[in-house]
Amino acid sequence: MSSLTPPNSNQMSALNNHFRFGLTTPELEEFAPALEATLASSETVERLYERTAPEPPQRSWTSPTADENPLSAWYVTTSISETDEGPLAGRTVAVKDNVAVAGVPMMNGSRTVEGFTPRYDATVVRRLLDAGATITGKAVCEDLCFSGASFTSHPQPVRNPWDESRITGGSSSGSGALVASGQVDMAVGGDQGGSIRIPAAFCGIVGHKPTHGLVPYTGAFPIERTIDHLGPMTRTVSDAAAMLTVLAGTDGLDPRQTHRIEPVDYLAALAEPASGLRVGVVTEGFDTPVSDAAVDNAVRTAIDVLRSAGLTVEEVSIPWHLDAMAVWNVIATEGAAYQMLDGNAYGMNTDGFYDPELIAHFSRQRLEHGHQLSKTVKLVGMSGRYTSEVGGGKYYAMARQLVPEVRAAYDAALARYDVLVMPTLPYTATKIPTTDIPLADYLDTALSMIINTAPFDVTGHPACSVPADLVHGLPTGMMIIGKHFDDATVLRVAQLYEHAVGNYPVPPAAAGTLT
Protein backbone atom coordinates (compact mmCIF):
# COMPACT_ATOMS: atom_id res chain seq x y z
CA MET A 1 0.00 0.00 0.00
CA SER A 2 1.30 3.47 -0.89
CA SER A 3 1.73 6.29 1.60
CA LEU A 4 0.61 9.76 0.56
CA THR A 5 3.30 12.37 0.91
CA PRO A 6 1.99 15.82 1.89
CA PRO A 7 2.43 18.48 -0.83
CA ASN A 8 5.55 20.61 -0.59
CA SER A 9 5.55 24.37 -0.98
CA ASN A 10 5.92 24.21 -4.78
CA GLN A 11 3.02 21.79 -5.06
CA MET A 12 0.90 23.96 -2.77
CA SER A 13 1.68 26.94 -4.99
CA ALA A 14 0.74 24.96 -8.11
CA LEU A 15 -2.60 23.99 -6.56
CA ASN A 16 -3.24 27.62 -5.69
CA ASN A 17 -2.43 28.73 -9.23
CA HIS A 18 -4.53 25.98 -10.82
CA PHE A 19 -7.69 27.14 -9.07
CA ARG A 20 -6.64 30.83 -8.94
CA PHE A 21 -7.47 30.96 -5.24
CA GLY A 22 -5.24 33.99 -4.72
CA LEU A 23 -3.73 32.68 -1.48
CA THR A 24 -0.56 34.34 -0.22
CA THR A 25 2.49 32.35 0.86
CA PRO A 26 1.62 32.75 4.58
CA GLU A 27 -1.94 31.66 3.86
CA LEU A 28 -0.69 28.58 1.99
CA GLU A 29 1.51 27.71 4.93
CA GLU A 30 -1.52 27.99 7.18
CA PHE A 31 -3.49 25.61 4.93
CA ALA A 32 -0.70 22.99 4.78
CA PRO A 33 -1.50 21.14 8.06
CA ALA A 34 -5.22 21.06 7.25
CA LEU A 35 -4.55 19.68 3.79
CA GLU A 36 -2.19 17.05 5.20
CA ALA A 37 -4.89 15.94 7.63
CA THR A 38 -7.28 15.16 4.77
CA LEU A 39 -4.84 12.59 3.34
CA ALA A 40 -5.59 10.13 6.13
CA SER A 41 -8.98 9.32 4.59
CA SER A 42 -7.41 8.48 1.23
CA GLU A 43 -4.95 6.13 2.92
CA THR A 44 -7.76 4.50 4.89
CA VAL A 45 -9.83 3.97 1.75
CA GLU A 46 -6.86 2.33 0.04
CA ARG A 47 -6.35 -0.02 2.99
CA LEU A 48 -10.05 -0.93 3.08
CA TYR A 49 -10.17 -1.51 -0.69
CA GLU A 50 -7.15 -3.81 -0.66
CA ARG A 51 -8.83 -6.05 1.95
CA THR A 52 -11.43 -7.24 -0.56
CA ALA A 53 -10.01 -6.51 -4.03
CA PRO A 54 -9.44 -9.81 -5.87
CA GLU A 55 -6.14 -11.06 -7.20
CA PRO A 56 -6.19 -11.77 -10.96
CA PRO A 57 -6.92 -15.42 -11.74
CA GLN A 58 -4.15 -17.57 -13.18
CA ARG A 59 -5.08 -17.83 -16.85
CA SER A 60 -2.70 -18.95 -19.56
CA TRP A 61 -2.03 -16.71 -22.53
CA THR A 62 0.45 -16.55 -25.38
CA SER A 63 1.87 -13.80 -27.56
CA PRO A 64 1.45 -15.25 -31.07
CA THR A 65 4.32 -15.33 -33.52
CA ALA A 66 4.13 -13.50 -36.84
CA ASP A 67 3.40 -16.80 -38.59
CA GLU A 68 0.53 -17.43 -36.18
CA ASN A 69 -0.77 -13.90 -36.59
CA PRO A 70 -0.53 -12.98 -40.31
CA LEU A 71 -3.15 -10.20 -40.08
CA SER A 72 -1.63 -8.79 -36.84
CA ALA A 73 -5.12 -9.12 -35.40
CA TRP A 74 -4.31 -10.96 -32.15
CA TYR A 75 -2.82 -9.16 -29.15
CA VAL A 76 -2.61 -12.38 -27.11
CA THR A 77 -4.22 -15.78 -27.55
CA THR A 78 -5.91 -17.83 -24.85
CA SER A 79 -8.28 -20.73 -24.39
CA ILE A 80 -10.61 -19.83 -21.55
CA SER A 81 -13.82 -21.72 -20.94
CA GLU A 82 -15.81 -22.54 -17.82
CA THR A 83 -18.66 -24.74 -18.99
CA ASP A 84 -19.49 -26.89 -21.99
CA GLU A 85 -23.17 -26.08 -21.66
CA GLY A 86 -25.13 -23.00 -22.68
CA PRO A 87 -26.35 -21.19 -25.78
CA LEU A 88 -22.80 -20.44 -26.96
CA ALA A 89 -21.25 -23.80 -26.04
CA GLY A 90 -18.47 -24.69 -28.44
CA ARG A 91 -18.32 -21.22 -29.98
CA THR A 92 -15.00 -19.36 -30.08
CA VAL A 93 -14.91 -15.66 -29.26
CA ALA A 94 -12.28 -12.94 -29.61
CA VAL A 95 -12.57 -10.09 -27.12
CA LYS A 96 -11.62 -6.60 -28.23
CA ASP A 97 -8.56 -5.56 -26.24
CA ASN A 98 -10.25 -2.61 -24.57
CA VAL A 99 -12.39 -5.14 -22.66
CA ALA A 100 -10.99 -6.66 -19.47
CA VAL A 101 -10.35 -10.40 -19.24
CA ALA A 102 -9.01 -10.95 -15.73
CA GLY A 103 -5.47 -12.33 -15.59
CA VAL A 104 -4.85 -11.63 -19.30
CA PRO A 105 -2.79 -8.63 -20.46
CA MET A 106 -4.69 -5.66 -21.88
CA MET A 107 -3.14 -2.97 -24.08
CA ASN A 108 -6.06 -1.15 -25.73
CA GLY A 109 -3.83 -0.67 -28.75
CA SER A 110 -1.75 1.85 -26.83
CA ARG A 111 1.65 2.21 -25.16
CA THR A 112 -0.20 4.11 -22.44
CA VAL A 113 -2.04 0.94 -21.35
CA GLU A 114 0.65 -1.63 -22.17
CA GLY A 115 1.72 -3.69 -19.17
CA PHE A 116 -1.68 -3.72 -17.46
CA THR A 117 -3.34 -6.95 -16.31
CA PRO A 118 -6.94 -6.62 -15.06
CA ARG A 119 -8.15 -8.08 -11.78
CA TYR A 120 -11.74 -8.18 -12.99
CA ASP A 121 -13.64 -9.73 -15.88
CA ALA A 122 -15.84 -7.32 -17.80
CA THR A 123 -19.54 -8.16 -17.50
CA VAL A 124 -19.68 -9.24 -21.15
CA VAL A 125 -16.77 -11.63 -20.57
CA ARG A 126 -18.50 -13.22 -17.58
CA ARG A 127 -21.70 -13.60 -19.59
CA LEU A 128 -19.89 -15.21 -22.52
CA LEU A 129 -18.14 -17.70 -20.25
CA ASP A 130 -21.36 -18.49 -18.40
CA ALA A 131 -23.01 -19.15 -21.78
CA GLY A 132 -20.42 -21.78 -22.68
CA ALA A 133 -18.25 -19.74 -25.06
CA THR A 134 -14.49 -20.22 -25.29
CA ILE A 135 -12.48 -17.01 -25.26
CA THR A 136 -9.59 -17.62 -27.63
CA GLY A 137 -7.80 -14.32 -27.21
CA LYS A 138 -7.72 -10.54 -27.16
CA ALA A 139 -8.18 -8.81 -30.51
CA VAL A 140 -6.00 -5.81 -31.35
CA CYS A 141 -7.78 -2.46 -31.39
CA GLU A 142 -6.77 1.06 -32.31
CA ASP A 143 -4.82 3.36 -29.97
CA LEU A 144 -7.31 4.07 -27.16
CA CYS A 145 -9.95 3.12 -29.75
CA PHE A 146 -9.97 6.53 -31.42
CA SER A 147 -9.69 5.72 -35.12
CA GLY A 148 -11.96 4.33 -37.80
CA ALA A 149 -9.01 2.88 -39.69
CA SER A 150 -6.55 0.19 -38.53
CA PHE A 151 -3.11 1.74 -38.61
CA THR A 152 -2.91 3.52 -35.24
CA SER A 153 -2.67 0.36 -33.11
CA HIS A 154 0.53 -0.69 -31.39
CA PRO A 155 2.62 -2.49 -32.24
CA GLN A 156 1.51 -2.51 -35.89
CA PRO A 157 -1.49 -2.12 -38.23
CA VAL A 158 -4.18 -4.76 -38.56
CA ARG A 159 -4.54 -6.08 -42.11
CA ASN A 160 -7.74 -6.72 -44.03
CA PRO A 161 -8.21 -10.41 -44.96
CA TRP A 162 -9.64 -9.33 -48.32
CA ASP A 163 -6.45 -7.45 -49.21
CA GLU A 164 -3.65 -7.38 -46.67
CA SER A 165 -2.41 -4.05 -47.99
CA ARG A 166 -5.65 -2.41 -46.82
CA ILE A 167 -7.15 -1.35 -43.49
CA THR A 168 -9.74 -3.47 -41.72
CA GLY A 169 -11.44 -0.45 -40.23
CA GLY A 170 -11.43 0.44 -36.55
CA SER A 171 -11.40 0.69 -33.81
CA SER A 172 -12.48 -2.97 -33.45
CA SER A 173 -9.94 -3.80 -36.14
CA GLY A 174 -8.70 -7.15 -34.86
CA SER A 175 -12.23 -8.30 -34.11
CA GLY A 176 -13.29 -7.64 -37.69
CA ALA A 177 -10.27 -9.35 -39.23
CA LEU A 178 -10.51 -12.44 -37.02
CA VAL A 179 -14.22 -13.02 -37.70
CA ALA A 180 -13.92 -12.35 -41.44
CA SER A 181 -10.94 -14.69 -41.82
CA GLY A 182 -12.67 -17.47 -39.88
CA GLN A 183 -10.18 -17.58 -37.02
CA VAL A 184 -13.06 -17.17 -34.54
CA ASP A 185 -16.80 -17.68 -34.69
CA MET A 186 -17.63 -14.31 -33.18
CA ALA A 187 -16.08 -11.30 -31.48
CA VAL A 188 -16.89 -8.56 -29.02
CA GLY A 189 -16.58 -5.11 -30.57
CA GLY A 190 -16.85 -1.61 -29.14
CA ASP A 191 -18.44 1.41 -30.79
CA GLN A 192 -18.19 5.13 -30.01
CA GLY A 193 -18.17 6.53 -33.55
CA GLY A 194 -18.83 3.40 -35.60
CA SER A 195 -16.14 1.04 -34.35
CA ILE A 196 -18.25 -2.11 -34.62
CA ARG A 197 -19.90 -1.22 -37.92
CA ILE A 198 -16.82 0.18 -39.69
CA PRO A 199 -14.71 -3.01 -39.60
CA ALA A 200 -17.87 -5.03 -40.24
CA ALA A 201 -18.45 -3.12 -43.49
CA PHE A 202 -14.80 -3.09 -44.57
CA CYS A 203 -14.38 -6.82 -43.81
CA GLY A 204 -17.75 -8.09 -45.07
CA ILE A 205 -19.31 -9.34 -41.81
CA VAL A 206 -22.27 -8.50 -39.56
CA GLY A 207 -21.68 -5.85 -36.90
CA HIS A 208 -24.47 -4.80 -34.54
CA LYS A 209 -24.21 -1.67 -32.37
CA PRO A 210 -26.94 -2.21 -29.78
CA THR A 211 -29.17 0.47 -28.31
CA HIS A 212 -27.07 2.56 -25.94
CA GLY A 213 -27.16 0.91 -22.52
CA LEU A 214 -28.57 -2.42 -23.71
CA VAL A 215 -25.23 -4.20 -23.23
CA PRO A 216 -23.28 -3.33 -20.06
CA TYR A 217 -20.02 -1.49 -20.71
CA THR A 218 -18.75 -2.50 -17.26
CA GLY A 219 -15.09 -3.47 -17.40
CA ALA A 220 -14.35 -1.96 -20.81
CA PHE A 221 -12.00 1.00 -21.19
CA PRO A 222 -14.29 4.04 -21.56
CA ILE A 223 -13.99 6.94 -23.98
CA GLU A 224 -17.13 8.92 -23.11
CA ARG A 225 -20.05 7.44 -21.19
CA THR A 226 -22.80 8.84 -23.38
CA ILE A 227 -21.40 7.24 -26.56
CA ASP A 228 -19.79 4.01 -25.23
CA HIS A 229 -21.25 0.77 -26.67
CA LEU A 230 -20.25 -2.92 -26.79
CA GLY A 231 -21.80 -5.40 -29.21
CA PRO A 232 -21.46 -8.52 -31.38
CA MET A 233 -19.43 -8.99 -34.56
CA THR A 234 -20.23 -12.21 -36.42
CA ARG A 235 -20.49 -13.80 -39.84
CA THR A 236 -24.26 -14.26 -39.71
CA VAL A 237 -27.22 -12.37 -38.31
CA SER A 238 -28.36 -15.39 -36.31
CA ASP A 239 -24.99 -15.52 -34.56
CA ALA A 240 -25.27 -11.80 -33.77
CA ALA A 241 -28.74 -12.38 -32.33
CA ALA A 242 -27.56 -15.34 -30.24
CA MET A 243 -24.62 -13.35 -28.94
CA LEU A 244 -26.72 -10.26 -28.19
CA THR A 245 -29.16 -12.40 -26.19
CA VAL A 246 -26.26 -13.42 -23.95
CA LEU A 247 -24.68 -9.96 -23.67
CA ALA A 248 -27.76 -7.79 -23.13
CA GLY A 249 -29.34 -6.89 -19.82
CA THR A 250 -28.83 -4.81 -16.71
CA ASP A 251 -25.84 -5.61 -14.49
CA GLY A 252 -26.36 -2.95 -11.81
CA LEU A 253 -22.84 -1.59 -12.29
CA ASP A 254 -23.03 0.47 -15.47
CA PRO A 255 -24.24 4.10 -15.22
CA ARG A 256 -25.12 3.95 -18.92
CA GLN A 257 -28.00 1.64 -17.99
CA THR A 258 -30.59 4.00 -16.56
CA HIS A 259 -33.41 1.48 -16.08
CA ARG A 260 -33.97 -2.25 -15.86
CA ILE A 261 -33.81 -4.02 -19.21
CA GLU A 262 -36.16 -6.94 -19.68
CA PRO A 263 -34.57 -10.04 -21.25
CA VAL A 264 -35.23 -10.62 -24.95
CA ASP A 265 -34.47 -13.79 -26.89
CA TYR A 266 -33.19 -12.11 -30.04
CA LEU A 267 -32.54 -15.41 -31.74
CA ALA A 268 -36.15 -16.50 -31.22
CA ALA A 269 -37.32 -13.07 -32.42
CA LEU A 270 -35.76 -13.78 -35.82
CA ALA A 271 -38.50 -16.33 -36.40
CA GLU A 272 -41.14 -13.60 -36.45
CA PRO A 273 -42.09 -12.74 -40.04
CA ALA A 274 -40.75 -9.47 -41.39
CA SER A 275 -43.53 -9.08 -43.91
CA GLY A 276 -45.32 -5.75 -43.73
CA LEU A 277 -42.36 -3.87 -42.31
CA ARG A 278 -41.63 -0.42 -43.72
CA VAL A 279 -38.16 0.77 -44.65
CA GLY A 280 -37.11 4.42 -44.89
CA VAL A 281 -34.11 5.10 -47.13
CA VAL A 282 -32.35 8.14 -45.69
CA THR A 283 -31.38 10.32 -48.64
CA GLU A 284 -28.78 12.28 -46.66
CA GLY A 285 -26.79 9.05 -46.11
CA PHE A 286 -25.93 8.92 -49.82
CA ASP A 287 -23.78 11.14 -52.03
CA THR A 288 -21.81 12.60 -49.12
CA PRO A 289 -18.70 14.70 -49.83
CA VAL A 290 -16.56 11.56 -49.47
CA SER A 291 -18.91 8.99 -51.06
CA ASP A 292 -17.87 6.57 -53.77
CA ALA A 293 -20.79 6.34 -56.20
CA ALA A 294 -20.11 2.63 -56.66
CA VAL A 295 -20.63 2.04 -52.93
CA ASP A 296 -23.86 4.03 -52.99
CA ASN A 297 -25.01 1.90 -55.92
CA ALA A 298 -24.11 -1.33 -54.09
CA VAL A 299 -26.27 -0.26 -51.16
CA ARG A 300 -29.09 0.76 -53.50
CA THR A 301 -28.92 -2.78 -54.90
CA ALA A 302 -29.15 -4.19 -51.37
CA ILE A 303 -32.19 -2.00 -50.72
CA ASP A 304 -33.79 -3.41 -53.88
CA VAL A 305 -33.37 -6.85 -52.30
CA LEU A 306 -35.46 -5.69 -49.34
CA ARG A 307 -38.10 -4.36 -51.72
CA SER A 308 -38.14 -7.62 -53.69
CA ALA A 309 -38.48 -9.54 -50.42
CA GLY A 310 -41.80 -7.81 -49.80
CA LEU A 311 -40.92 -4.85 -47.59
CA THR A 312 -42.32 -1.40 -48.28
CA VAL A 313 -39.39 0.85 -49.20
CA GLU A 314 -39.60 4.64 -49.50
CA GLU A 315 -37.18 7.56 -49.53
CA VAL A 316 -37.12 9.78 -46.43
CA SER A 317 -35.23 13.00 -45.79
CA ILE A 318 -33.73 13.68 -42.34
CA PRO A 319 -31.88 17.03 -42.65
CA TRP A 320 -30.51 16.68 -39.10
CA HIS A 321 -28.34 13.82 -40.38
CA LEU A 322 -26.13 16.40 -42.08
CA ASP A 323 -25.48 18.26 -38.80
CA ALA A 324 -25.50 15.35 -36.36
CA MET A 325 -21.80 14.80 -37.03
CA ALA A 326 -20.98 18.20 -35.51
CA VAL A 327 -22.89 17.29 -32.34
CA TRP A 328 -21.00 13.99 -32.11
CA ASN A 329 -17.69 15.74 -32.72
CA VAL A 330 -18.09 18.13 -29.78
CA ILE A 331 -19.25 15.37 -27.43
CA ALA A 332 -16.54 12.97 -28.56
CA THR A 333 -13.69 15.49 -28.34
CA GLU A 334 -14.56 17.52 -25.25
CA GLY A 335 -16.06 14.51 -23.53
CA ALA A 336 -13.09 12.25 -24.25
CA ALA A 337 -10.53 14.92 -23.33
CA TYR A 338 -12.34 15.39 -20.00
CA GLN A 339 -13.08 11.74 -19.19
CA MET A 340 -10.64 9.53 -21.10
CA LEU A 341 -7.53 11.74 -20.83
CA ASP A 342 -7.80 14.19 -17.93
CA GLY A 343 -10.09 11.75 -16.12
CA ASN A 344 -7.79 8.75 -16.75
CA ALA A 345 -10.55 6.79 -18.50
CA TYR A 346 -13.23 6.70 -15.80
CA GLY A 347 -13.54 10.30 -14.68
CA MET A 348 -15.75 10.84 -11.64
CA ASN A 349 -19.25 11.80 -10.49
CA THR A 350 -21.25 8.73 -11.47
CA ASP A 351 -22.27 5.61 -9.60
CA GLY A 352 -21.09 2.22 -10.80
CA PHE A 353 -17.93 0.23 -11.44
CA TYR A 354 -14.48 1.84 -11.38
CA ASP A 355 -11.16 0.06 -11.97
CA PRO A 356 -8.62 1.64 -9.57
CA GLU A 357 -5.68 -0.38 -10.91
CA LEU A 358 -6.37 0.61 -14.51
CA ILE A 359 -6.85 4.25 -13.54
CA ALA A 360 -3.55 4.32 -11.64
CA HIS A 361 -1.66 2.46 -14.38
CA PHE A 362 -3.02 4.63 -17.17
CA SER A 363 -2.45 7.89 -15.28
CA ARG A 364 1.26 7.04 -14.97
CA GLN A 365 1.69 5.60 -18.46
CA ARG A 366 -0.24 8.41 -20.12
CA LEU A 367 2.26 10.97 -18.88
CA GLU A 368 5.30 8.80 -19.58
CA HIS A 369 4.19 7.65 -23.05
CA GLY A 370 1.96 10.50 -24.14
CA HIS A 371 4.35 11.26 -26.99
CA GLN A 372 3.59 7.79 -28.41
CA LEU A 373 -0.16 8.28 -28.57
CA SER A 374 -1.72 8.34 -32.02
CA LYS A 375 -2.26 11.64 -33.77
CA THR A 376 -6.02 11.12 -33.56
CA VAL A 377 -5.84 10.92 -29.76
CA LYS A 378 -3.54 13.94 -29.65
CA LEU A 379 -6.00 15.92 -31.79
CA VAL A 380 -8.89 14.91 -29.53
CA GLY A 381 -6.94 15.95 -26.44
CA MET A 382 -5.87 19.32 -27.76
CA SER A 383 -9.17 20.22 -29.43
CA GLY A 384 -11.34 19.03 -26.56
CA ARG A 385 -9.25 20.66 -23.87
CA TYR A 386 -8.98 23.95 -25.78
CA THR A 387 -12.69 24.37 -26.51
CA SER A 388 -13.51 23.29 -22.97
CA GLU A 389 -11.14 25.89 -21.51
CA VAL A 390 -12.26 28.67 -23.87
CA GLY A 391 -15.95 27.95 -23.43
CA GLY A 392 -15.81 26.71 -19.86
CA GLY A 393 -17.67 23.60 -21.01
CA LYS A 394 -20.49 25.48 -22.77
CA TYR A 395 -19.92 23.81 -26.15
CA TYR A 396 -20.26 20.35 -24.62
CA ALA A 397 -23.35 21.54 -22.77
CA MET A 398 -24.82 22.94 -25.99
CA ALA A 399 -24.18 19.67 -27.80
CA ARG A 400 -25.83 17.70 -25.02
CA GLN A 401 -28.82 20.07 -25.19
CA LEU A 402 -29.07 19.38 -28.93
CA VAL A 403 -29.01 15.60 -28.58
CA PRO A 404 -32.75 15.29 -27.85
CA GLU A 405 -33.48 17.31 -30.98
CA VAL A 406 -31.19 15.13 -33.10
CA ARG A 407 -32.69 11.98 -31.60
CA ALA A 408 -36.21 13.27 -32.21
CA ALA A 409 -35.45 13.82 -35.90
CA TYR A 410 -34.63 10.13 -36.37
CA ASP A 411 -37.50 9.13 -34.08
CA ALA A 412 -39.92 11.09 -36.25
CA ALA A 413 -38.84 9.08 -39.28
CA LEU A 414 -38.97 5.87 -37.24
CA ALA A 415 -42.56 6.67 -36.31
CA ARG A 416 -43.35 6.25 -40.02
CA TYR A 417 -40.93 3.41 -40.74
CA ASP A 418 -39.87 0.32 -38.81
CA VAL A 419 -36.23 0.76 -39.80
CA LEU A 420 -34.05 3.25 -41.65
CA VAL A 421 -31.28 2.26 -44.07
CA MET A 422 -28.25 3.93 -45.64
CA PRO A 423 -24.65 3.02 -46.54
CA THR A 424 -22.65 2.06 -43.47
CA LEU A 425 -19.55 3.68 -44.97
CA PRO A 426 -19.06 5.96 -47.94
CA TYR A 427 -16.19 4.02 -49.52
CA THR A 428 -14.32 0.69 -49.42
CA ALA A 429 -11.22 -0.08 -47.38
CA THR A 430 -8.27 2.14 -48.23
CA LYS A 431 -4.58 1.28 -48.31
CA ILE A 432 -2.68 1.13 -45.04
CA PRO A 433 -0.75 4.43 -45.08
CA THR A 434 2.97 4.85 -44.69
CA THR A 435 4.32 6.00 -41.34
CA ASP A 436 5.42 9.36 -42.74
CA ILE A 437 1.99 10.31 -44.10
CA PRO A 438 1.19 14.07 -43.73
CA LEU A 439 -1.09 14.93 -40.81
CA ALA A 440 -4.03 15.96 -43.01
CA ASP A 441 -3.93 12.64 -44.87
CA TYR A 442 -3.43 10.73 -41.60
CA LEU A 443 -6.55 12.23 -40.07
CA ASP A 444 -8.56 11.81 -43.26
CA THR A 445 -7.63 8.12 -43.46
CA ALA A 446 -8.44 7.60 -39.78
CA LEU A 447 -11.72 9.49 -39.48
CA SER A 448 -13.39 10.43 -42.79
CA MET A 449 -15.47 7.24 -42.98
CA ILE A 450 -17.58 7.87 -39.84
CA ILE A 451 -20.01 10.37 -41.37
CA ASN A 452 -22.98 7.93 -41.32
CA THR A 453 -22.05 5.83 -38.30
CA ALA A 454 -21.19 8.41 -35.63
CA PRO A 455 -24.64 10.08 -35.36
CA PHE A 456 -26.17 6.90 -33.93
CA ASP A 457 -23.61 6.72 -31.14
CA VAL A 458 -24.91 10.13 -30.01
CA THR A 459 -28.59 9.27 -30.41
CA GLY A 460 -28.21 5.72 -29.08
CA HIS A 461 -30.34 4.05 -31.76
CA PRO A 462 -29.49 0.42 -32.59
CA ALA A 463 -27.67 0.07 -35.91
CA CYS A 464 -26.48 -3.04 -37.73
CA SER A 465 -24.16 -3.31 -40.72
CA VAL A 466 -24.68 -6.21 -43.13
CA PRO A 467 -22.60 -6.94 -46.23
CA ALA A 468 -23.78 -5.41 -49.51
CA ASP A 469 -22.25 -6.15 -52.92
CA LEU A 470 -18.50 -6.16 -53.43
CA VAL A 471 -17.06 -3.09 -55.13
CA HIS A 472 -13.78 -3.68 -56.98
CA GLY A 473 -13.45 -6.93 -55.05
CA LEU A 474 -13.88 -5.30 -51.64
CA PRO A 475 -16.79 -5.46 -49.17
CA THR A 476 -19.35 -2.73 -48.61
CA GLY A 477 -22.05 -2.45 -45.95
CA MET A 478 -25.70 -1.49 -45.62
CA MET A 479 -26.65 -0.05 -42.23
CA ILE A 480 -30.07 -0.79 -40.72
CA ILE A 481 -31.23 1.53 -37.91
CA GLY A 482 -34.14 0.97 -35.55
CA LYS A 483 -36.07 2.36 -32.61
CA HIS A 484 -34.52 2.41 -29.15
CA PHE A 485 -34.51 -1.07 -27.61
CA ASP A 486 -36.10 -2.51 -30.75
CA ASP A 487 -32.89 -4.27 -31.74
CA ALA A 488 -34.99 -7.32 -32.58
CA THR A 489 -36.65 -5.60 -35.55
CA VAL A 490 -33.28 -4.40 -36.85
CA LEU A 491 -31.98 -7.97 -36.73
CA ARG A 492 -35.16 -9.34 -38.35
CA VAL A 493 -34.70 -7.04 -41.34
CA ALA A 494 -31.00 -7.91 -41.45
CA GLN A 495 -31.80 -11.62 -41.56
CA LEU A 496 -34.49 -11.14 -44.19
CA TYR A 497 -31.84 -9.53 -46.36
CA GLU A 498 -29.26 -12.19 -45.52
CA HIS A 499 -31.61 -15.03 -46.48
CA ALA A 500 -32.57 -13.25 -49.69
CA VAL A 501 -28.98 -12.89 -50.90
CA GLY A 502 -27.76 -16.26 -49.65
CA ASN A 503 -24.30 -16.70 -48.19
CA TYR A 504 -22.18 -13.58 -47.95
CA PRO A 505 -18.91 -13.51 -49.89
CA VAL A 506 -15.83 -14.49 -47.90
CA PRO A 507 -12.19 -13.44 -48.32
CA PRO A 508 -10.42 -15.53 -50.98
CA ALA A 509 -7.91 -16.89 -48.46
CA ALA A 510 -10.75 -18.14 -46.24
CA ALA A 511 -12.96 -19.54 -49.00
CA GLY A 512 -11.93 -23.10 -48.29
CA THR A 513 -12.83 -22.95 -44.60
CA LEU A 514 -15.90 -20.70 -44.50
CA THR A 515 -19.31 -21.44 -45.96
Side-chain angles (χ1 to χ4, degrees):
M1 189 179 77
S2 62
S3 178
L4 275 171
T5 302
N8 58 35
S9 59
N10 288 336
Q11 291 169 320
M12 290 287 291
S13 179
L15 293 169
N16 183 35
N17 291 335
H18 175 79
F19 289 109
R20 300 192 181 184
F21 285 153
L23 296 169
T24 64
T25 299
E27 288 172 328
L28 284 174
E29 292 173 353
E30 185 179 14
F31 265 96
L35 194 156
E36 181 177 353
T38 67
L39 306 183
S41 293
S42 298
E43 293 177 334
T44 299
V45 163
E46 184 174 16
R47 174 174 54 81
L48 294 171
Y49 170 77
E50 289 294 344
R51 287 194 318 189
T52 56
E55 289 299 317
Q58 296 298 311
R59 286 170 167 167
S60 298
W61 55 272
T62 303
S63 295
T65 65
D67 288 343
E68 296 167 332
N69 196 20
L71 302 176
S72 301
W74 289 114
Y75 175 45
V76 296
T77 54
T78 62
S79 182
I80 304 169
S81 60
E82 295 188 355
T83 177
D84 56 4
E85 297 181 351
L88 299 182
R91 311 307 298 278
T92 57
V93 182
V95 175
K96 184 178 180 179
D97 193 38
N98 71 329
V99 178
V101 178
V104 177
M106 173 178 171
M107 188 175 179
N108 199 16
S110 181
R111 298 294 190 198
T112 62
V113 183
E114 188 176 22
F116 176 68
T117 299
R119 291 186 177 190
Y120 307 89
D121 280 329
T123 296
V124 294
V125 170
R126 286 261 35 96
R127 290 179 175 178
L128 288 167
L129 292 173
D130 291 344
T134 298
I135 294 174
T136 53
K138 303 296 295 296
V140 170
C141 58
E142 297 310 292
D143 193 341
L144 299 186
C145 295
F146 223 104
S147 172
S150 66
F151 66 95
T152 72
S153 53
H154 289 287
Q156 54 196 343
V158 178
R159 301 184 178 279
N160 194 312
W162 287 85
D163 179 346
E164 293 184 17
S165 70
R166 295 178 184 270
I167 63 173
T168 64
S171 61
S172 308
S173 45
S175 294
L178 292 168
V179 172
S181 62
Q183 295 181 63
V184 292
D185 296 321
M186 49 187 64
V188 176
D191 200 309
Q192 281 91 3
S195 293
I196 288 172
R197 294 158 288 158
I198 295 168
F202 278 158
C203 292
I205 63 171
V206 176
H208 183 75
K209 181 199 77 67
T211 301
H212 185 257
L214 178 63
V215 173
Y217 202 82
T218 307
F221 194 107
I223 287 181
E224 212 278 351
R225 286 185 188 89
T226 67
I227 60 174
D228 289 333
H229 301 72
L230 295 177
M233 300 175 69
T234 59
R235 285 191 294 277
T236 66
V237 174
S238 61
D239 276 356
M243 193 174 177
L244 184 62
T245 302
V246 168
L247 299 181
T250 312
D251 74 348
L253 297 170
D254 185 0
R256 299 161 190 80
Q257 297 186 301
T258 57
H259 59 279
R260 176 170 174 76
I261 299 165
E262 296 300 324
V264 174
D265 186 337
Y266 294 98
L267 188 58
L270 294 181
E272 297 179 25
S275 58
L277 294 180
R278 296 174 61 83
V279 178
V281 180
V282 182
T283 57
E284 288 81 4
F286 296 80
D287 195 27
T288 74
V290 292
S291 289
D292 178 344
V295 172
D296 279 356
N297 289 337
V299 175
R300 292 283 185 189
T301 299
I303 293 167
D304 287 340
V305 171
L306 296 177
R307 184 181 286 108
S308 298
L311 301 190
T312 299
V313 179
E314 298 174 349
E315 298 279 323
V316 59
S317 177
I318 307 177
W320 248 119
H321 188 68
L322 299 176
D323 291 321
M325 185 68 202
V327 177
W328 176 89
N329 199 45
V330 170
I331 291 171
T333 54
E334 283 202 24
Y338 181 81
Q339 179 181 330
M340 182 178 72
L341 296 176
D342 283 335
N344 295 315
Y346 279 82
M348 298 181 179
N349 307 123
T350 62
D351 199 3
F353 174 82
Y354 289 79
D355 191 329
E357 289 75 32
L358 176 56
I359 291 167
H361 180 89
F362 181 56
S363 68
R364 293 190 302 269
Q365 293 279 102
R366 182 173 61 82
L367 298 179
E368 183 177 348
H369 295 281
H371 63 287
Q372 293 179 291
L373 285 166
S374 70
K375 294 174 184 178
T376 50
V377 174
K378 290 175 180 176
L379 176 65
V380 166
M382 289 189 290
S383 173
R385 176 78 186 203
Y386 177 73
T387 55
S388 181
E389 287 181 347
V390 170
K394 76 172 185 179
Y395 299 109
Y396 182 89
M398 289 173 176
R400 293 300 326 165
Q401 288 294 94
L402 287 171
V403 168
E405 190 174 341
V406 181
R407 186 180 291 128
Y410 295 111
D411 285 343
L414 286 164
R416 296 166 52 198
Y417 301 99
D418 297 288
V419 297
L420 306 174
V421 297
M422 65 181 73
T424 308
L425 305 178
Y427 50 77
T428 55
T430 56
K431 294 283 188 178
I432 296 172
T434 59
T435 55
D436 59 350
I437 186 174
L439 178 61
D441 295 334
Y442 180 109
L443 296 174
D444 183 73
T445 303
L447 298 171
S448 64
M449 75 290 288
I450 69 174
I451 191 166
N452 281 345
T453 56
F456 301 105
D457 291 282
V458 165
T459 66
H461 291 92
C464 184
S465 180
V466 293
D469 283 349
L470 299 179
V471 169
H472 308 306
L474 295 171
T476 64
M478 175 174 66
M479 185 165 58
I480 305 167
I481 304 103
K483 300 177 180 69
H484 286 94
F485 296 102
D486 190 15
D487 296 62
T489 296
V490 172
L491 292 169
R492 285 166 60 205
V493 173
Q495 182 171 261
L496 175 78
Y497 168 77
E498 180 177 280
H499 285 178
V501 299
N503 293 331
Y504 297 130
V506 298
T513 58
L514 296 178
T515 57

